[in-house]
Amino acid sequence: MPPTDVTTLIRTELPRLAGSLRKVGELILEDPAAVTHCSAAELGRRTGTSQATVTRFCRAIGLDSYQHLLIELAQERGRGEASDWGTAEIGPDISPDDDLERVVQVVGTADLRAVQQTIDRIDLDAIERSAQAMARARRIDVYGVGGSGAVAQETETRLFRIGCSVRGWTEVHGATTSAALLTPADVAIGISHSGATRETIEPFELAKERGATTVAITSDPRSPLAKVADLRLISATSETSFLHTGSIGGRHSVLVLIDCLYVRVAQLSYQRASASLALTDHITPHHTVKNRRAR
């Protein structure tokens, strides 16, 4: 597990947990430092559950044991993450009565942390293999709806400028039709924060059946989308409360991964990318309105 990741992992997994498992996660996030002094049995009593439930919680979030959780929490505290990011003073939540200064601090802190933790957990091998497949692909499909649809369109814009044959699909009928026409020479990228969006999974699964290389970009490595994929790129989340769900910071985390892919694909297809950029560099300056001096 990358540094500074365990509380973010819990916060990311919490919406997918229910009942007693969720109670354990919520108590850990309330006071991670205090939990480091608890046994599994004591934490079970504090949450009104049991030692067995605490152990199941650890496994549900991908840890080997409760001891593993304690080690991660202690190391995170020792690194002084809370001090570095200011979360000790401002806390993780936003209430209806908070003033604007606190809102800005909480949102900014959470968004910055999400981006940093995405960088910390980047799988370089998955980035490299994805970029290699994209650089040689006959065609690239990108699937996403809602907020992820905006990211899919941004991905299309970036890759198109460096000469890739790419299309961002944000509507399931068009996406599925395109997926049905893919071949093993193609790449399909599925973008979904939850990894459970049906409109994204449907064309993604079909692209997989057609033999295309499939790349999932999601915050949940155990999601249905991730399970279908040949390659998985995992982003962090920055949600802080019910007032700050589906945040822009989480989207920024995904864009960090997209930007890494874009630059690496440009490197791997340097002649094509540089020629494409040279042919289009004049377009933006040509449409810039010059500032006239006031008389």
Side-chain angles (χ1 to χ4, degrees):
M1 181 175 297
T4 76
D5 214 27
V6 68
T7 53
T8 293
L9 175 63
I10 295 171
R11 192 170 288 113
T12 299
E13 294 292 333
L14 205 59
R16 288 179 277 274
L17 301 178
S20 56
L21 295 183
R22 189 182 182 97
K23 288 181 181 178
V24 174
E26 288 173 341
L27 186 62
I28 293 171
L29 291 177
E30 282 180 15
D31 193 351
V35 172
T36 60
H37 302 291
C38 290
S39 66
E42 183 178 355
L43 183 58
R45 286 194 298 272
R46 290 190 181 187
T47 55
T49 60
S50 66
Q51 181 175 344
T53 299
V54 172
T55 301
R56 284 195 298 116
F57 167 80
C58 295
R59 291 174 180 166
I61 64 171
L63 301 180
D64 298 331
S65 63
Y66 182 64
Q67 187 64 29
H68 189 179
L69 172 66
L70 293 181
I71 291 171
E72 293 294 337
L73 287 171
Q75 289 179 344
E76 182 173 315
R77 184 184 180 192
R79 286 189 294 266
E81 177 192 272
S83 176
D84 290 344
W85 291 99
T87 53
E89 291 77 18
I90 60 179
D93 297 321
I94 301 171
S95 74
D97 299 324
D98 286 335
D99 60 26
L100 180 57
E101 182 180 2
R102 177 178 168 82
V103 169
V104 170
Q105 287 180 319
V106 172
V107 171
T109 294
D111 288 358
L112 286 170
R113 181 167 52 187
V115 169
Q116 183 59 55
Q117 293 187 339
T118 296
I119 295 169
D120 289 342
R121 67 166 62 176
I122 280 181
D123 184 336
L124 295 179
D125 180 65
I127 288 279
E128 178 66 21
R129 291 169 62 193
S130 299
Q132 291 275 359
M134 292 163 65
R136 63 175 180 263
R138 179 187 70 99
R139 197 171 100 205
I140 301 171
D141 268 8
V142 189
Y143 311 130
V145 298
S148 296
V151 178
Q153 291 176 327
E154 174 65 18
T155 304
E156 175 190 312
T157 300
R158 302 297 303 279
L159 294 174
F160 186 68
R161 275 210 71 197
I162 57 172
C164 294
S165 178
V166 57
R167 177 73 182 266
W169 297 96
T170 60
E171 186 274 323
V172 66
H173 292 165
T176 306
T177 300
S178 182
L181 300 174
L182 295 183
T183 73
D186 303 319
V187 172
I189 301 172
I191 304 173
S192 171
H193 173 67
S194 67
T197 304
R198 182 191 305 170
E199 290 82 358
T200 300
I201 294 172
E202 183 179 332
F204 196 70
E205 288 180 330
L206 183 54
K208 174 82 169 182
E209 292 174 10
R210 294 290 299 154
T213 299
T214 49
V215 180
I217 301 179
T218 178
S219 67
D220 185 358
R222 290 176 293 281
S223 64
L225 186 75
K227 290 178 180 178
V228 173
D230 298 310
L231 298 162
R232 288 161 288 278
L233 303 177
I234 308 303
S235 63
T237 183
S238 66
E239 296 172 1
T240 58
S241 73
F242 76 98
L243 295 174
H244 188 221
T245 59
S247 68
I248 296 296
R251 205 170 303 166
H252 288 165
S253 298
V254 176
L255 288 171
V256 167
L257 296 173
I258 296 299
D259 218 18
C260 290
L261 284 173
Y262 163 77
V263 172
R264 188 58 177 151
V265 170
Q267 286 180 312
L268 294 169
S269 56
Y270 183 76
Q271 289 187 332
R272 181 186 69 189
S274 57
S276 297
L277 290 172
L279 289 170
T280 58
D281 271 347
H282 69 284
I283 296 172
T284 299
H286 180 72
H287 288 273
T288 299
V289 176
K290 295 181 179 179
N291 186 24
R292 296 181 179 178
R293 293 182 180 178
R295 295 182 179 178

